[in-house]
Amino acid sequence: MALLYKLPSPFEVETGTVLMHEPPWARAGELRAQLLDESYPKPFVIDNGKSRFLYFNVRLMQSEMSLKAPNDLAIRYTQKMMAFLLFQPRPKRIALIGLGGGSLVKFCYHRMPGTHMTAVELDPEVIAFRDILRQIVFRLTSVFFAGHNKVYSITYCIL
């Protein structure tokens, strides 16, 4: 598991500990200021002792994982994303664009063990939280390609 920089949450509503991919010598005051003014450029996790929340910025919580029920879908939009099961209750394959906190992958893996899943994630910082968010990743493969004057790295997991 990668070492994470821990910082008391500077937010009034989101209490707990902020977990960040930063070196141990990072300056807490600067990180706190970046979180508060929304200039912090990486995803981060807030752990309040009951749940862990993956944020892309203060205004955008991407996922929630209950520590008591880590394989359940805690956020309404993720629950609604599974509505396809009403029409296809036993899919053979599922492709997810974006791994996020891994909520959908964990849910599908535990409830549909025979389903082959592929998740595509562009951001290595998101994948780096896989241990803390208990993301299920059995094999990671990176593919690099160039487009729009940028080089992209796509990392995907195959379960």
Side-chain angles (χ1 to χ4, degrees):
M1 183 158 118
L3 294 176
L4 294 169
Y5 190 91
K6 296 180 181 182
L7 181 74
S9 176
F11 310 113
E12 291 179 22
V13 178
E14 296 90 353
T15 59
T17 303
V18 179
L19 307 172
M20 310 161 87
H21 288 289
E22 295 296 336
W25 59 84
R27 295 180 176 171
E30 289 177 13
L31 293 174
R32 183 180 189 284
Q34 287 179 337
L35 287 168
L36 289 171
D37 71 10
E38 299 183 35
S39 66
Y40 185 70
K42 301 178 198 175
F44 58 93
V45 170
I46 295 180
D47 184 334
N48 68 7
K50 295 179 183 177
S51 292
R52 291 186 181 142
F53 307 88
L54 176 65
Y55 282 84
F56 291 142
N57 63 48
V58 177
R59 297 177 193 214
L60 183 57
M61 182 199 341
Q62 196 283 330
S63 61
E64 175 183 355
M65 179 190 74
S66 165
L67 295 175
K68 287 186 179 179
N71 301 320
D72 291 350
L73 298 176
I75 299 177
R76 181 171 284 176
Y77 90 90
T78 57
Q79 295 166 0
K80 289 181 179 186
M81 290 176 78
M82 298 309 298
F84 75 88
L85 291 173
L86 295 169
F87 306 101
Q88 180 68 341
R90 288 185 261 326
K92 292 180 181 154
R93 291 179 198 84
I94 297 175
L96 297 115
I97 307 301
L99 180 62
S103 301
L104 292 172
V105 173
K106 287 187 295 187
F107 178 86
C108 293
Y109 178 77
H110 288 282
R111 288 182 176 69
M112 296 174 272
T115 301
H116 178 270
M117 290 175 281
T118 300
V120 177
E121 177 58 62
L122 289 172
D123 190 344
E125 295 289 340
V126 171
I127 295 168
F129 279 115
R130 68 181 168 267
D131 293 328
I132 196 74
L133 293 170
R134 300 181 191 168
Q135 296 168 340
I136 301 167
V137 179
F138 292 126
R139 186 172 77 208
L140 286 177
T141 304
S142 292
V143 178
F144 295 91
F145 68 95
H148 300 290
N149 298 324
K150 290 186 177 182
V151 175
Y152 295 90
S153 169
I154 296 180
T155 303
Y156 59 94
C157 64
I158 300 174
L159 305 180

